[in-house]
Amino acid sequence: MPQIRNNSLSITLPSDLEIAGVREFDAPRELVFEAHSKPEHLRNWWGINSLSVCEVDFRPGGAWRFVERNEEGEEFGFHGEYREIVPPEKLVYTFEYEGLPGHVSVETLTFEERDGRTILTSLTAFDSKEDRDGMIESGMEEGANIGYNRLDAYLETLQ
């Protein structure tokens, strides 16, 4: 299985249609889960830029939408729908970049606690190998790593 490594996020490609990631946080899973579920938390860490829009209807069937604004004022929108929520263990939702409509992936996040730390595992499923490869080529690894580093720093402020 091909693997991409960096200091804090481990990315693997378990199949032609999937990207998996594993990241550890020095915080209990209830807190890490909460940071993924509430707009007042998400706007402090999600993405690589500030969020000009952070809308969350956190329930199965509920929608979410985030719009990042970079330093040049350009905006990038993302949205999806929550499919499954099992606090504090699991989140399943769709993900679509508004700049490339019609390419919807399904993300499954699992939260496992070990000795007061949280192991966050993500599995993103795509409709085609081309969509998966396009996500990798878009810089998603760097963006996810930046977002998770921001989450790590934000979690420190909450403990």
Side-chain angles (χ1 to χ4, degrees):
M1 170 169 28
Q3 188 166 355
I4 304 163
R5 281 213 174 271
N6 59 46
N7 291 338
S8 54
L9 175 66
S10 175
I11 300 280
T12 58
L13 307 175
S15 77
D16 286 347
L17 299 178
E18 297 171 313
I19 299 173
V22 178
R23 176 68 153 78
E24 190 169 339
F25 296 93
D26 188 18
R29 77 176 178 167
E30 287 81 6
L31 189 58
V32 178
F33 185 90
E34 183 177 314
H36 281 79
S37 65
K38 296 183 177 178
E40 60 265 28
H41 296 310
L42 287 157
R43 69 178 72 250
N44 284 289
W45 69 267
W46 196 90
I48 60 175
N49 299 293
S50 64
L51 291 180
S52 59
V53 175
C54 183
E55 299 168 348
V56 175
D57 181 7
F58 195 69
R59 62 180 177 82
W64 64 269
R65 182 168 186 259
F66 305 146
V67 177
E68 287 190 60
R69 180 178 294 135
N70 68 16
E71 293 175 358
E72 292 80 37
E74 299 171 302
E75 292 192 326
F76 306 92
F78 307 86
H79 69 268
E81 179 181 295
Y82 293 104
R83 292 190 170 174
E84 184 179 356
I85 299 172
V86 183
E89 300 170 12
K90 183 178 180 182
L91 283 178
V92 180
Y93 54 89
T94 61
F95 179 93
E96 183 174 7
Y97 170 52
E98 293 174 358
L100 196 57
H103 298 270
V104 180
S105 59
V106 177
E107 297 198 7
T108 300
L109 303 181
T110 56
F111 303 78
E112 179 185 351
E113 188 165 330
R114 287 189 206 147
D115 301 320
R117 298 176 63 82
T118 301
I119 310 299
L120 174 62
T121 302
S122 65
L123 182 66
T124 306
F126 298 86
D127 288 334
S128 69
K129 183 178 186 309
E130 293 75 24
D131 280 358
R132 186 210 62 181
D133 292 350
M135 180 65 80
I136 293 166
E137 293 166 9
S138 76
M140 65 73 57
E141 179 189 8
E142 179 184 6
N145 202 38
I146 290 169
Y148 283 156
N149 288 340
R150 291 178 64 195
L151 175 55
D152 212 19
Y154 180 65
L155 289 167
E156 284 184 30
T157 72
L158 297 177
Q159 296 187 74

